[in-house]
């Protein structure tokens, strides 16, 4: 099923949901790292959350698709 332009179809909502999970996951990851390591990033926390989101998305994209054997 393809995404339909200017529509809140299933595919669009699915992509929005995945983006929300990535954003929320990065915020939780940074919070847990600060809590476990007792490191305060201070004013750099928003930047760390953004970078964590990029890393999570990069890992997701790296794992997506078929492998070199066609599976």
């Amino acid at each position: 099923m393809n995404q339909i332009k200017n529509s809140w179809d299933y595919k669009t909502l699915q992509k929005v949901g995945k983006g929300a999970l990535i954003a929320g996951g990065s915020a939780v990851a940074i919070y847990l790292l600060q809590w476990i390591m007792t490191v305060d990033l201070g004013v750099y926390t928003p930047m760390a959350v953004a970078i964590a989101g990029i890393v999570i998305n990069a890992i997701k994209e790296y794992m997506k698709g078929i492998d070199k054997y066609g599976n």
Side-chain angles (χ1 to χ4, degrees):
M1 175 196 287
N2 292 328
Q3 187 174 357
I4 301 170
K5 184 178 180 178
N6 298 328
S7 173
W8 290 108
D9 60 348
Y10 177 76
K11 192 70 169 177
T12 301
L13 293 175
Q14 186 179 27
K15 288 183 176 190
V16 170
K18 285 181 182 179
L21 288 174
I22 290 170
S26 63
V28 169
I30 295 301
Y31 174 77
L32 289 175
L33 285 173
Q34 286 184 344
W35 179 63
I36 291 170
M37 297 171 47
T38 62
V39 174
D40 184 15
L41 298 174
V43 297
Y44 298 108
T45 300
M47 188 184 313
V49 171
I51 291 170
I54 292 168
V55 169
I56 290 171
N57 194 35
I59 292 169
K60 178 187 72 95
E61 290 298 322
Y62 176 78
M63 295 173 57
K64 190 165 96 172
I66 60 173
D67 61 15
K68 62 183 175 182
Y69 305 110
N71 297 323

